[in-house]
Amino acid sequence: MIVIKTKKEIELMQESGRIVALAHEEVKKAIKPGVTTGELDAIAEAVIKENGAVPSFKGYHGYPGSICASVNDQVIHGIPGETILREGDIISIDIGAFKNGYHGDAARTHPVGKVSDEASKLIKITEESFFEGLKFCQIGYRLSDISNAIQTYAEENGFSVVRDFVGHGIGRQMHEDPPVPNYGAAGRGPRLESGMALAIEPMINVGGFKVVVLDDEWTVITKDGTLSAHYENTVIITEDGPIMTTYSDSEVK
Ligand code: MF3
Ligand code: CO
């Protein structure tokens, strides 16, 4: 069942999203060679708590971190800890915040120092694929129009789309209906309505789309060892167009 959010609920979700965006800004500033993913986790957790929220991920099905920090061939759900970032790495940071009963959820992939041309292209195309999907976040389109736009753009640029993990509805629960795949034929699924809140989150690989979950039961890596990037925002469909609750003005290009 897709829960439609009222105007009041949308306002509350914007507050949770604002905190996620703020945490991303602070983490981004700290990313450089020599820093550990555990240090990034602490920075995000501090911002979230200072703003009266709690990290959505911590304790979720036993997840130990406040954020996910996934390096290079790690796709998602990398557990923050002793891992030291090195020049040339790429790192996907996923952050969730819960306040006043509502969640915000967003991911960004950043270069660590100078990275290869292929890595920067992957980061750019992954972000752009989200914005291709966003073009269809309008009343009257159907859910898979978003999915199809993301897949088409990523594949046109020579990359592949992860199938085993997808985006999701979001609100009082971090994961609500509907699932939001980043692939598939257009024109399927529910019609988009005002008040639908979706976490749209392309996970894009340089090589094949297959992934493997490590023995820690969280970390997802590419099967072929190639790089992967992740980009996500919490998006609310409205009559005036989509609201990205987790996107900060400082990011506008
Ligand atoms: N953004 C991720 C998601 O949509 C966050 C989940 S990480 C977890 O599923 F640790 F909380 F599971
Ligand atoms: Co998500």
Side-chain angles (χ1 to χ4, degrees):
M1 183 196 58
I2 301 175
V3 182
I4 297 297
K5 277 75 182 177
T6 63
K7 200 158 175 279
K8 178 67 198 162
E9 289 179 295
I10 293 172
E11 280 168 21
L12 294 175
M13 288 191 72
Q14 284 180 288
E15 170 63 4
S16 305
R18 182 189 68 80
I19 297 166
V20 171
L22 210 54
H24 267 295
E25 265 177 64
E26 290 307 311
V27 169
K28 182 181 178 186
K29 286 184 203 159
I31 291 176
K32 52 177 180 288
V35 121
T36 68
T37 55
E39 287 165 345
L40 302 177
D41 186 73
I43 290 167
E45 185 173 313
V47 173
I48 290 167
K49 290 184 173 166
E50 280 159 16
N51 284 275
V54 295
S56 301
F57 304 168
K58 200 163 209 169
Y60 181 83
H61 294 284
Y63 185 74
S66 288
I67 68 172
C68 302
S70 310
V71 180
N72 295 336
D73 64 332
Q74 297 180 349
V75 180
I76 48 167
H77 301 170
I79 300 172
E82 299 307 306
T83 303
I84 300 169
L85 299 184
R86 295 164 312 171
E87 177 95 19
D89 286 343
I90 63 170
I91 180 163
S92 300
I93 302 287
D94 195 344
I95 305 180
F98 179 74
K99 183 173 176 180
N100 299 322
Y102 293 87
H103 292 274
D105 184 6
R108 301 286 184 269
T109 301
H110 300 292
V112 181
K114 192 171 164 31
V115 302
S116 69
D117 289 349
E118 185 170 69
S120 13
K121 181 184 171 195
L122 176 68
I123 292 171
K124 179 168 176 279
I125 297 300
T126 302
E127 177 175 340
E128 287 173 356
S129 75
F130 166 89
F131 286 95
E132 289 300 308
L134 188 71
K135 292 178 183 169
F136 293 90
C137 290
Q138 303 280 349
I139 294 164
Y141 284 116
R142 295 173 73 151
L143 188 72
S144 85
D145 295 331
I146 302 170
S147 314
N148 183 258
I150 293 170
Q151 179 178 23
T152 302
Y153 188 77
E155 291 181 354
E156 267 172 12
N157 283 283
F159 297 136
S160 71
V161 175
V162 171
R163 309 286 201 272
D164 289 358
F165 295 87
V166 298
H168 47 94
I170 181 168
R172 286 195 164 275
Q173 308 294 326
M174 181 164 68
H175 293 136
E176 297 185 358
D177 282 340
V180 184
N182 301 298
Y183 57 91
R188 313 267 172 89
R191 277 194 193 283
L192 301 181
E193 281 175 46
S194 186
M196 279 185 185
L198 306 171
I200 302 171
E201 50 179 316
M203 289 150 266
I204 307 295
N205 300 346
V206 163
F209 66 79
K210 290 188 181 165
V211 299
V212 177
V213 182
L214 296 185
D215 287 342
D216 65 15
E217 293 182 353
W218 282 106
T219 314
V220 177
I221 63 167
T222 58
K223 191 163 189 220
D224 58 14
T226 58
L227 295 177
S228 185
H230 186 200
Y231 187 92
E232 171 182 30
N233 281 301
T234 296
V235 178
I236 306 179
I237 310 296
T238 80
E239 273 149 27
D240 304 320
I243 297 172
M244 292 193 284
T245 70
T246 50
Y247 191 75
S248 99
D249 292 342
S250 68
E251 295 181 89
V252 177
K253 295 228 158 81

